[in-house]
Amino acid sequence: MKKELVFLGPPASGKGTQTSRLSQEMGLPHVDTGSLLRAAIQGGTPEGIEAKSYIEKGALVPVEIVAAIIKNRLLQADCANGFILDGFPRSVEQANILETIRTEIDGANPVDFKVIYFDIPQDVLLERIIYRRSCAACGKIYNLKTLKPKQDGICDCGGELTQRKDDNEETARARFETYFNETAPLVEYYKQKGVLKNLDAQGSVEEIWNRLQEAIG
Ligand code: AMP
């Protein structure tokens, strides 16, 4: 059966780190709207140009832009057996859009749909964001305090480590506000639908990985 997973949780709750590994192990693509939007900005597409100011403010990019990008991505051949969504949906409106897209793509075919909620207190997250660095070549995520590369500023693969422009304290605070106002209601929304799995997202990458295996079942 087609497997569709949604990873839900506040910024820097560890979704990206776990999704990259899970995506490799399950052979399912990691579909991450933040990365798709950053690629659109780099590519100078009309969507990217419009999205840029919202991302820099820590606000949600208008729904039409994100819906078009995500639909386009989910229609690609590598998503035919399933996918792992990270960063979408981010509001109840987007969750409804996802349902519409799923019906368009999957029709009445049964789908194994689960939402994994990365449950973690907010106080540890701001620090994670400020110390987060990622590899421009392979995408691996580091933390300058807790998960350092072997050599300063260089990924273990040899690529350059960079900091996301929106990973500064001011934008991070705005992103948390956006999360609590717009995205957090999805926890209740998906609980009501009986598809939500709670994941304790505190602890080491390995501990969370083991809990994730149980949650996915
Ligand atoms: P992320 O990489 O998931 O932290 O996303 C970075 C930024 O991209 C967010 O702060 C939003 O401005 C924008 N973004 C990512 N996903 C979405 C989405 N599903 N809807 C609207 N904006 C998004």
Side-chain angles (χ1 to χ4, degrees):
M1 198 189 308
K2 187 171 177 184
K3 220 170 175 65
E4 300 184 357
L5 289 171
V6 167
F7 279 15
L8 178 65
S13 55
K15 303 187 300 293
T17 305
Q18 299 292 338
T19 323
S20 301
R21 180 167 171 189
L22 190 67
S23 156
Q24 280 183 350
E25 296 229 346
M26 293 178 84
L28 296 177
H30 173 188
V31 177
D32 159 15
T33 40
S35 298
L36 291 170
L37 288 164
R38 284 186 287 278
I41 293 175
Q42 276 225 313
T45 67
E47 292 85 1
I49 291 165
E50 194 175 346
K52 192 166 184 273
S53 63
Y54 293 91
I55 295 182
E56 285 173 0
K57 278 190 300 217
L60 290 189
V61 169
V63 71
E64 319 77 66
I65 295 182
V66 181
I69 286 183
I70 201 87
K71 184 171 176 187
N72 208 9
R73 182 66 189 89
L74 298 184
L75 277 168
Q76 286 171 22
D78 63 335
C79 291
N81 293 325
F83 45 79
I84 307 167
L85 275 180
D86 166 13
F88 185 89
R90 253 174 155 99
S91 64
V92 171
E93 185 183 14
Q94 291 186 9
N96 289 322
I97 290 174
L98 178 61
E99 279 201 25
T100 308
I101 295 175
R102 282 176 49 217
T103 312
E104 281 171 23
I105 297 177
D106 302 319
N109 293 335
V111 166
D112 179 7
F113 180 77
K114 284 196 186 89
V115 178
I116 312 292
Y117 170 48
F118 282 60
D119 192 359
I120 186 160
Q122 194 197 342
D123 49 358
V124 299
L125 296 177
L126 195 60
E127 197 161 87
R128 273 199 195 176
I129 287 197
I130 292 162
Y131 292 109
R132 177 162 66 181
R133 298 290 182 277
S134 58
C135 174
C138 75
K140 186 168 176 193
I141 299 166
Y142 291 90
N143 180 290
L144 296 188
K145 274 199 163 171
T146 57
L147 192 65
K148 295 184 187 173
K150 291 190 182 113
Q151 209 186 326
D152 279 357
I154 312 276
C155 176
D156 295 348
C157 82
E160 186 198 353
L161 288 188
T162 56
Q163 183 178 30
R164 276 172 45 176
K165 242 181 142 183
D166 60 346
D167 273 355
N168 61 72
E169 188 164 344
E170 192 190 341
T171 312
R173 287 192 191 280
R175 285 159 63 201
F176 282 118
E177 216 179 297
T178 305
Y179 173 80
F180 287 106
N181 290 336
E182 313 217 29
T183 311
L186 283 177
V187 174
E188 201 47 45
Y189 173 93
Y190 281 126
K191 206 184 272 175
Q192 296 283 328
K193 290 192 178 278
V195 291
L196 191 89
K197 300 270 175 190
N198 212 75
L199 179 84
D200 174 4
Q202 286 194 88
S204 68
V205 171
E206 209 52 40
E207 282 165 344
I208 300 164
W209 171 253
N210 292 333
R211 287 181 212 134
L212 181 60
Q213 299 298 306
E214 275 174 39
I216 292 169

